[in-house]
Amino acid sequence: MAKLFQLKNITKRFGSITAIDCVNIDIEQGEIIALIGSSGSGKTTLLKLLNAQHEADAGEILLLQKPISSFNHKQLRQTRSKIAFIPQDLGIVKNLKVFQNIFLGKVGLTSTLSMLWKFLFPPKSEILKVHKLLERTGIADKLYSITSTLSGGEQQRVAVTRALYQEAHTILADEPISSVDPARARSLIKLLIEISRENNLTLIMSIHNIELAKEFFPRLIGLKNGRVQFDGSSVNQAELDDLYQLSEEQLTQ
Ligand SMILES: Nc1ncnc2c1ncn2[C@@H]1O[C@H](COP(=O)(O)OP(=O)(O)OP(=O)(O)O)[C@@H](O)[C@H]1O
Ligand SMILES: [Mg+2]
């Protein structure tokens, strides 16, 4: 099978900090991956390299065999538009209606003026499309609700629906469960995995909860100090202990 992403010796620095250090990872379309590692290990940086928000300082990222670094402005825009990013705070505008938040999934490919027009005079066909997607994520009755009136779990569903509307091939989710209760965290993970499997989407989620990562994700990538510590379908306690062990330097900081 053709690889979707290939990271070849990727390094990303911020000043004197090496956030990602010579990383090699291959990802196939449809893979479901958990990124684990302690705070500062490079998870968010890796996700942002994948959707070309960050540029690597060394190495090469290939998307369907083509180096991202060779893309022109238009190609980069198109690339980003097909990779949904769900940030920790879900990236939802709370005082907009649910359908408007979902329309924002295509903001990367739409001018501000036409987005405004779409907000004010939503085309029936688009509303029908959003309604269908909301049926799949279980909140079709909230189509016209102001998003802030939805529960936290329902707002998570808005973020997932937005990714579907975007017609992305990949969902990058950056700790989207850290601020919710355990039951909601489980249901969001289940929903994301189910939706990804149904649509053959690639899902890469950074996650601090190891138990949930082990239970739901068929591939686990452990990052430590910007390096891949392990990459496989299971992880043992010794590997986990090592992953979270602080270096002497970190302990004395
Ligand atoms: N924009 C930035 N400018 C400077 N340093 C940064 C920037 N982004 C990340 N870093 C640094 O790079 C390292 C990796 O950060 P990153 O955010 O990728 O970690 P993380 O694994 O996502 O952590 P967390 O679990 O806390 O979200 C950290 O040392 C961080 O301080
Ligand atoms: Mg992070």
Side-chain angles (χ1 to χ4, degrees):
M1 199 195 275
K3 299 271 189 284
L4 180 65
F5 294 102
Q6 286 168 278
L7 280 75
K8 294 183 179 291
N9 298 318
I10 289 298
T11 293
K12 174 68 188 169
R13 295 185 200 94
F14 297 105
S16 60
I17 295 170
T18 304
I20 291 293
D21 192 4
C22 207
V23 159
N24 288 284
I25 300 173
D26 284 355
I27 297 168
E28 286 179 13
Q29 178 71 45
E31 277 204 89
I32 308 283
I33 300 173
L35 263 188
I36 57 180
S38 58
S39 198
S41 59
K43 303 180 295 297
T44 300
T45 306
L46 185 64
L47 292 176
K48 289 186 174 173
L49 283 160
L50 287 171
N51 78 343
Q53 269 188 68
H54 284 329
E55 222 176 293
D57 293 303
E60 190 90 87
I61 298 180
L62 307 182
L63 177 65
L64 291 172
Q65 332 273 9
K66 295 194 191 80
I68 290 185
S69 58
S70 70
F71 289 2
N72 61 29
H73 189 67
K74 192 176 163 203
Q75 287 169 315
L76 272 180
R77 215 171 127 110
Q78 279 169 346
T79 300
R80 289 195 193 109
S81 77
K82 293 292 168 213
I83 302 175
F85 193 91
I86 304 181
Q88 192 163 352
D89 64 1
L90 304 177
I92 277 171
V93 186
K94 298 220 178 186
N95 51 3
L96 288 180
K97 291 183 175 164
V98 166
F99 78 84
Q100 293 170 324
N101 261 303
I102 289 163
F103 281 173
L104 286 177
K106 289 200 177 153
V107 76
L109 293 175
T110 320
S111 71
T112 313
L113 200 62
S114 47
M115 187 51 84
L116 200 61
W117 190 258
K118 206 169 150 183
F119 268 22
L120 296 174
F121 308 104
K124 225 181 184 162
S125 57
E126 291 299 295
I127 287 287
L128 276 175
K129 202 190 256 181
V130 170
H131 188 262
K132 261 200 184 135
L133 295 175
L134 287 171
E135 276 178 340
R136 274 166 55 196
T137 51
I139 48 166
D141 57 326
K142 305 291 184 190
L143 180 67
Y144 293 109
S145 305
I146 300 287
T147 312
S148 62
T149 65
L150 272 59
S151 73
E154 289 165 345
Q155 291 182 25
Q156 291 176 337
R157 284 165 194 270
V158 174
V160 176
T161 316
R162 186 188 53 200
L164 282 178
Y165 180 71
Q166 194 175 334
E167 292 171 357
H169 56 70
T170 296
I171 298 180
L172 306 175
D174 196 9
E175 270 291 326
I177 58 165
S178 58
S179 55
V180 301
D181 60 71
R184 237 182 238 154
R186 283 181 87 82
S187 71
L188 178 66
I189 290 177
K190 278 172 135 171
L191 176 71
L192 271 170
I193 292 182
E194 191 184 299
I195 291 281
S196 301
R197 291 225 163 100
E198 257 174 46
N199 297 278
N200 192 33
L201 305 182
T202 307
L203 174 66
I204 308 165
M205 184 194 277
S206 79
I207 174 169
H208 274 291
N209 187 318
I210 299 301
E211 292 312 314
L212 289 176
K214 284 204 293 194
E215 183 177 347
F216 289 104
F217 289 81
R219 181 173 173 192
L220 305 160
I221 298 178
L223 283 180
K224 185 176 181 181
N225 301 327
R227 289 175 178 244
V228 175
Q229 197 79 1
F230 56 80
D231 180 353
S233 57
S234 63
V235 54
N236 62 36
Q237 196 53 47
E239 286 171 315
L240 282 176
D241 289 347
D242 187 30
L243 191 71
Y244 288 99
Q245 192 183 41
L246 294 173
S247 66
E248 255 172 56
E249 191 189 331
Q250 287 164 321
L251 281 169
T252 51
Q253 263 172 12

